[in-house]
């Protein structure tokens, strides 16, 4: 008798999120919109979160019209009370979330000497505190289910720093630490927490980058181009999948090789 071929399971089901409730913050545009779409296309019920109902509804309506399931929610993720209300509403309208993607983020760039304290606070509050508040709000539900996936959005800037982005770099480095801490706290409950560190992705956030800088990225990144939101979504899907159960506390760089 030859050795039995060890099957890895039904690979057709990989990246299937049928009936899973997935919360995507910052889903009105850019990277978050691409992530929301990718989950919806794989059967998830997507809670699309943005600062305004109208912004969130734009994405949710688009997905709804395409025959997918998506519900819009307005919330400023840096406000603890709003976040608490958000997750109560998501629970009522969609059911208990099994995936949280902490994607909402802002940048307020300036050289540190000129940086306004309020711009430091705003960026840390949305990017770092917002991720913490949403993760905290979803933890009880995930612990009860003994299953959960949290994916946080860091940045190559959080790993390598960038002149003129002290606040943004600090917030995104903080997200890496937060990710590791959550992974250690919740790993035994079947909950993983990982981060993505995108390189330069073409969205509203990078629309003001000088043309010379974009040309530099195109020249130096092995991929030969800036990224798109479609480049980030597959990495998020993978880390949020059942199959990624033995990966936690990691930060996956998705930058076309720019920082090799
Ligand atoms: P974007 O196009 O500017 O979109 C930002 C999203 O975050 C919007 O949906 C926005 O909602 C939402 N948001 C902002 N503040 C919020 C708040 N207080 N509460 C709830 N939602 C809020 O940005 P992006 O380029 O897609 O970036 C998405 C994430 O990836 C961010 O965390 C960013 O730091 C990170 N990232 C981006 C790049 C890049 O090159 N683009 C690189 C590395 C990391 P509204 O529409 O309501 O304002």
């Amino acid at each position: 008798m030859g050795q039995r071929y060890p099957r890895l399971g039904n690979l057709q089901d990989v990246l299937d999120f049928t009936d899973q409730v997935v919360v995507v913050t910052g889903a009105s545009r850019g990277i978050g919109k691409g992530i929301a779409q990718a989950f919806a296309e794989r059967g998830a019920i997507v809670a699309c979160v943005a600062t305004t109902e109208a912004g969130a509804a734009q994405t949710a309506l688009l997905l709804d019209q395409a025959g997918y399931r998506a519900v819009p929610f307005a919330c400023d993720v840096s406000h603890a009370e709003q976040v608490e209300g958000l997750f109560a509403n998501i629970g009522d309208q969609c059911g208990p979330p099994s995936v949280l993607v902490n994607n909402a983020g802002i940048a307020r760039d300036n050289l540190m000497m000129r940086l306004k304290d309020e711009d430091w606070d705003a960026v840390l509050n949305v990017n770092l505190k917002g991720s913490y508040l949403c993760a905290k709000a979803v933890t009880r539900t995930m612990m009860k289910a003994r299953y959960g996936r949290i994916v946080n959005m860091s940045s190559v800037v959080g790993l390598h720093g960038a002149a003129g982005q002290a606040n943004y770099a600090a917030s995104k480095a903080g997200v890496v630490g937060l990710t590791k801490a959550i992974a250690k706290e919740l790993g035994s409950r079947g909950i993983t927490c990982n981060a993505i560190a995108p390189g330069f992705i073409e969205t509203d956030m990078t629309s003001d980058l000088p043309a010379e800088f974009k040309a530099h990225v195109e020249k130096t990144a092995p991929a030969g181009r800036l990224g798109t939101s479609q480049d980030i979504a597959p990495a998020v899907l993978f880390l949020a999948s059942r199959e990624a159960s033995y990966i936690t506390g990691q930060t996956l760089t998705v930058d076309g090789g720019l920082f090799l």
Side-chain angles (χ1 to χ4, degrees):
M1 278 280 274
Q3 245 192 344
R4 211 169 150 257
Y5 179 72
R7 293 185 68 86
L8 288 174
N10 186 354
L11 290 179
Q12 277 176 343
D13 292 342
V14 168
L15 306 187
D16 178 54
F17 291 90
T18 301
D19 295 339
Q20 286 195 48
V21 176
V22 174
V23 182
V24 181
T25 67
S28 54
R29 46 202 169 93
I31 293 172
K33 186 176 179 180
I35 294 169
Q37 184 176 345
F39 277 108
E41 286 172 356
R42 282 155 188 83
I45 302 158
V46 185
C48 299
V49 183
T51 58
T52 62
E53 178 87 21
Q58 268 183 23
T59 299
L61 198 65
L62 197 79
L63 295 175
D64 195 58
Q65 282 168 349
Y68 304 120
R69 290 177 293 175
V71 186
F73 294 93
C75 174
D76 178 343
V77 296
S78 66
H79 280 258
E81 277 171 24
Q82 286 192 33
V83 171
E84 242 173 70
L86 168 71
F87 281 89
N89 288 338
I90 291 173
D92 288 346
Q93 292 184 44
C94 306
S98 58
V99 177
L100 165 66
V101 183
N102 273 320
N103 165 80
I106 58 168
R108 299 267 191 277
D109 298 349
N110 215 331
L111 292 173
M112 193 174 65
M113 282 180 66
R114 295 191 199 133
L115 191 62
K116 293 194 188 106
D117 291 350
E118 59 258 38
D119 286 340
W120 171 274
D121 291 342
V123 169
L124 268 289
N125 282 341
V126 175
N127 299 4
L128 183 55
K129 188 179 174 192
S131 299
Y132 148 74
L133 289 174
C134 291
K136 187 172 162 181
V138 88
T139 294
R140 198 180 298 278
T141 306
M142 288 183 175
M143 279 172 68
K144 221 168 142 191
R146 299 196 71 81
Y147 181 85
R149 298 281 182 264
I150 299 171
V151 181
N152 296 325
M153 206 52 71
S154 179
S155 165
V156 290
V157 169
L159 303 176
H160 302 276
Q165 292 198 296
N167 50 356
Y168 187 78
S171 73
K172 295 300 185 179
V175 165
V176 172
L178 174 69
T179 300
K180 291 179 185 178
I182 295 173
K184 287 189 174 183
E185 274 192 34
L186 303 181
S188 64
R189 312 297 182 109
I191 301 166
T192 68
C193 182
N194 291 286
I196 306 276
F200 294 94
I201 311 300
E202 288 189 280
T203 67
D204 291 348
M205 191 177 271
T206 50
S207 59
D208 288 342
L209 283 177
E212 310 85 70
F213 182 81
K214 290 186 181 176
H216 168 76
V217 172
E218 285 163 5
K219 210 170 136 202
T220 48
R225 61 177 176 84
L226 275 82
T228 69
S229 52
Q230 278 77 26
D231 291 316
I232 303 303
V236 176
L237 287 180
F238 173 61
L239 292 174
S241 71
R242 290 193 175 276
E243 290 73 24
S245 63
Y246 206 52
I247 303 170
T248 195
Q250 304 303 304
T251 298
L252 177 60
T253 295
V254 184
D255 70 346
L258 185 65
F259 281 88
L260 279 178

